[in-house]
């Protein structure tokens, strides 16, 4: 069985540590001992310094996720050090410690970037609560922190490629669900990658040593459904010259993936539910049932609740399948993943076709980003295959893209205004959207170097991180 190795991710800057770093800076040795002993059973590595200068040196070297900073140090002012740390790494969570609390100093600390303010003497319980809250805050802003590099590479091997917030959330859900599910429902639009999610679930489950059997419910003639899924015995059907096992038996000790479950005939749904509940299957024409051990993953691009309300899908089967439900986002909600996916497909087809293509040019990527991708990842896959075949140099250029992609990009760029007609408000991007797209393009061109990107854009890293976050829904 192949399982993802579970490990705690390193600190923000990835310095090869196995745990996130908590840096304690205080000139009182007893306080440092208390901090270390209070946090030793948490999944953190506590480092300490007795002076501001030593603390700053450790801060620059270790890039801690949390800093516990004494406000009064023998060599540096705590407020000045707080401001310096916040300017250097706005993602660090800095908690001030002081035995001289005042409302004014607390307000000043918050303004300078402090996450919290603890008054000495503080309780161990309050300290631990503060550190745990800071870790959770970081994880909410950076969902990728919960996935190790090895885990993301394992997901990529299943075709699940992405670094956007929706995709990382999907990977986390798959990782958490895989060891436990018996049935699961994957929802999402056509072409979004539901089969990839099913493969990842299987590979990470205790049934990974068994087979993943795929059934496209939309491709089976209704009259043959039962015999295909449950099998039959010799003579049970016209032309049945020998026994045949069905898909459930083929998936014994593995996983059965029922794609397009919404297309399954209503009469078959009740029989499917009985097999899932009893783990016993009876071949067509047989008397005695056979016991199976099968995990069932279903997928659909339909809204099954609406199908239930319309009487086209059994409610009891829906609730059985949807005990664990995973929603796959459309590509339109995964803008940050487009460059990763386009580069992946370009390299894949370059190797397959024996082309010298190294990737996608910036102009071509800009055109791809202005297209709406109604066919989702599957459409991008096909577009990149065609572009790779058409490419004449080392890079895919706009001329290598299909006309519908170039046309949509040109229309979007021109504001989609008809000749002689004034464009409407919906034809333009907002300033926030323009800023966000430009920031992402700069980060991509600098190979993900956000520090350099912030310098090029002339903004702080905190502002850059805000621009790179998932955009809010655009008002209609």
């Amino acid at each position: 069985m192949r399982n993802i190795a579970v490990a705690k991710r390193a600190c923000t800057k990835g310095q090869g540590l196995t745990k996130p770093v908590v840096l304690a800076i205080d000139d009182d040795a007893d306080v440092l001992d208390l901090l270390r002993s209070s946090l030793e059973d948490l999944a953190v590595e506590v480092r300490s310094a007795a002076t501001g200068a030593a603390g700053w040196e450790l801060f620059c070297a270790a890039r801690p996720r949390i800093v516990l900073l004494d406000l009064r140090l023998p060599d540096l002012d705590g407020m000045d050090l707080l401001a310096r740390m916040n300017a250097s790494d706005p993602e660090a969570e800095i908690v001030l410690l002081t035995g001289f609390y005042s409302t004014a100093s607390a307000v000043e600390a918050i303004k300078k970037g402090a996450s919290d303010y603890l008054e000495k003497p503080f309780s161990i319980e309050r300290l631990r609560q503060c550190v745990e809250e800071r870790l959770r805050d970081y994880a909410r802003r950076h969902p990728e922190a919960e996935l190790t590099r090895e885990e993301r590479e394992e997901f990529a091997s299943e075709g699940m490629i992405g670094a956007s917030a929706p995709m990382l959330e999907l990977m986390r859900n798959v990782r958490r669900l895989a060891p436990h599910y018996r049935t699961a429902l994957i929802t999402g639009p056509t072409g979004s990658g539901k089969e990839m999610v099913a493969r990842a679930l299987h590979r990470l489950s205790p049934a990974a040593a068994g087979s993943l059997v795929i059934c496209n419910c939309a491709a089976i003639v209704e009259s043959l459904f039962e015999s295909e899924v449950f099998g039959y015995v010799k003579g049970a059907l016209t032309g049945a010259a020998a026994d045949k096992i069905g898909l459930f038996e083929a998936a014994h000790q593995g996983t059965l993936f029922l794609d397009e479950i919404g297309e399954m005939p209503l009469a078959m749904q009740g029989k499917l539910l009985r097999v899932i509940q009893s783990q016993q299957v009876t071949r067509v024409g047989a008397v005695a049932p056979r016991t199976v051990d099968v995990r069932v993953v279903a997928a659909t691009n339909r809204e099954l609740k609406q199908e239930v309300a319309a009487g086209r899908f059994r409610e009891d089967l829906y609730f059985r399948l949807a005990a664990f439900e995973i929603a796959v986002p459309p590509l339109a909600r995964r803008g940050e993943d487009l460059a990763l996916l386009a580069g992946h497909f370009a390299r894949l087809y370059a190797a397959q076709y024996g082309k010298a293509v190294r990737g996608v040019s910036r102009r071509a990527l800009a055109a791809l980003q202005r297209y709406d991708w109604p066919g989702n990842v599957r459409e991008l896959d096909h577009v990149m295959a065609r572009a790779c075949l058409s490419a004449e140099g080392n890079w895919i250029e706009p001329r290598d893209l299909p006309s519908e992609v170039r046309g949509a990009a040109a229309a979007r760029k021109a504001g989609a205004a008809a000749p002689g007609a004034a464009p409407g408000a919906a034809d333009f991007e907002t300033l926030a959207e323009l800023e966000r797209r430009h920031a992402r393009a700069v980060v991509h061109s600098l190979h993900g170097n956000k520090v350099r990107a912030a310098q090029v854009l002339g903004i702080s890293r905190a502002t850059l991180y805000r621009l790179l976050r998932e955009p809010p829904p655009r008002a209609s």
Side-chain angles (χ1 to χ4, degrees):
M1 177 178 68
R2 292 185 60 189
N3 281 327
I4 286 181
V6 177
K8 294 289 182 182
R9 190 182 183 269
C11 61
T12 306
K13 305 301 178 185
Q15 302 298 314
L17 304 173
T18 58
K19 296 179 181 179
V21 171
V22 174
L23 173 59
I25 307 174
D26 199 300
D27 60 339
D28 189 329
D30 291 335
V31 171
L32 291 179
D33 287 341
L34 175 63
L35 293 173
R36 281 190 292 264
S37 61
S38 300
L39 304 176
E40 63 183 0
D41 63 331
L42 297 182
V44 296
E45 177 181 345
V46 181
R47 296 190 179 188
S48 60
T51 65
W56 173 249
E57 186 176 343
L58 266 177
F59 180 85
C60 294
R63 289 300 184 187
R65 191 170 297 175
I66 299 173
V67 180
L68 304 174
L69 175 61
D70 186 17
L71 194 55
R72 294 196 176 184
L73 296 168
D75 57 335
L76 293 175
D77 179 75
M79 286 291 189
D80 291 342
L81 187 53
L82 162 66
R84 192 191 305 180
M85 288 178 171
N86 188 59
S88 173
D89 186 0
E91 290 294 291
E93 299 277 358
I94 304 174
V95 179
L96 287 186
L97 312 175
T98 182
F100 305 93
Y101 175 82
S102 71
T103 302
S105 64
V107 171
E108 183 185 358
I110 298 301
K111 286 182 177 178
K112 289 187 175 181
S115 301
D116 209 339
Y117 195 110
L118 296 183
E119 184 179 4
K120 297 178 182 178
F122 46 79
S123 69
I124 293 176
E125 180 181 356
R126 177 70 183 95
L127 171 67
R128 289 168 59 87
Q129 180 185 16
C130 177
V131 170
E132 289 173 339
E133 285 175 354
R134 301 286 77 74
L135 290 172
R136 284 195 295 270
D137 286 345
Y138 182 90
R140 279 193 291 269
R141 296 197 311 273
H142 298 271
E144 73 275 11
E146 296 185 17
L147 295 171
T148 66
R149 178 181 177 183
E150 292 78 11
E151 287 175 319
R152 278 189 275 176
E153 287 177 350
E154 186 74 12
F155 278 117
S157 72
E158 298 295 341
M160 294 176 62
I161 296 170
S164 63
M167 199 61 187
L168 292 169
E169 178 69 18
L170 173 62
M171 292 178 186
R172 290 204 316 277
N173 288 338
V174 169
R175 185 193 65 187
R176 293 166 181 165
L177 169 60
H180 311 293
Y181 80 95
R182 294 297 302 184
T183 59
L185 178 65
I186 304 171
T187 60
T190 299
S192 57
K194 297 186 290 294
E195 183 177 328
M196 301 300 182
V197 176
R199 290 183 180 278
L201 272 174
H202 171 70
R203 285 277 296 276
L204 303 176
S205 76
S211 299
L212 172 66
V213 177
I214 298 175
C215 171
N216 185 347
C217 298
I220 301 178
V221 179
E222 183 171 351
S223 59
L224 299 178
F225 237 105
E226 188 171 3
S227 59
E228 286 293 321
V229 177
F230 303 142
Y232 55 78
V233 297
K234 180 180 178 180
L237 304 169
T238 302
D243 291 357
K244 177 186 176 181
I245 67 170
L247 298 179
F248 261 97
E249 287 184 74
H252 178 57
Q253 295 186 332
T255 303
L256 176 60
F257 175 47
L258 298 172
D259 197 11
E260 302 297 349
I261 187 71
E263 307 297 329
M264 179 174 282
L266 195 60
M268 271 294 299
Q269 294 174 20
K271 297 177 181 179
L272 172 64
L273 178 62
R274 284 196 297 272
V275 173
I276 292 174
Q277 291 174 331
S278 67
Q279 290 287 291
Q280 289 191 323
V281 60
T282 303
R283 296 180 183 179
V284 176
V287 177
R290 298 167 182 264
T291 299
V292 292
D293 177 14
V294 177
R295 293 166 189 261
V296 176
V297 178
T300 182
N301 61 3
R302 294 191 180 190
E303 178 50 70
L304 288 189
K305 287 183 180 179
Q306 295 178 4
E307 295 296 296
V308 169
R312 293 188 292 267
F313 201 85
R314 290 182 61 115
E315 184 177 44
D316 48 4
L317 177 58
Y318 167 72
F319 285 124
R320 169 65 69 169
L321 294 173
F324 291 105
E325 184 170 347
I326 298 176
V328 183
L331 186 55
R333 282 188 52 215
R334 298 173 52 193
E336 295 165 67
D337 297 336
L338 188 62
L340 292 173
L341 288 164
H344 165 74
F345 289 131
R347 291 187 294 272
L348 177 70
Y349 290 112
Q352 183 174 328
Y353 300 147
K355 303 278 286 191
V357 172
R358 294 165 54 191
V360 184
S361 74
R362 275 189 245 176
R363 289 193 305 150
L365 181 59
L368 294 174
Q369 289 172 332
R370 287 192 289 265
Y371 185 58
D372 290 332
W373 300 107
N376 293 291
V377 179
R378 184 180 300 158
E379 183 181 10
L380 177 61
D381 184 345
H382 294 164
V383 164
M384 295 310 297
R386 288 175 56 186
C388 199
L389 276 173
S390 302
E392 298 176 350
N394 297 125
W395 300 92
I396 290 175
E397 298 291 348
R399 64 175 178 271
D400 302 317
L401 301 175
S403 58
E404 62 269 21
V405 176
R406 297 197 309 273
R412 181 80 64 87
K413 188 173 182 180
D427 295 326
F428 295 98
E429 290 181 293
T430 66
L431 286 175
E433 290 168 338
L434 285 169
E435 287 179 343
R436 186 174 294 109
R437 182 159 57 81
H438 182 59
R440 287 174 177 167
V442 171
V443 171
H444 173 70
S445 68
L446 294 172
H447 308 290
N449 188 332
K450 295 184 178 65
V451 174
R452 178 65 182 138
Q455 294 172 345
V456 169
L457 291 165
I459 59 178
S460 70
R461 271 182 285 169
T463 301
L464 177 61
Y465 293 139
R466 176 181 60 77
L467 288 172
L468 295 178
R469 289 186 193 128
E470 183 71 12
R474 188 175 179 180
S476 57

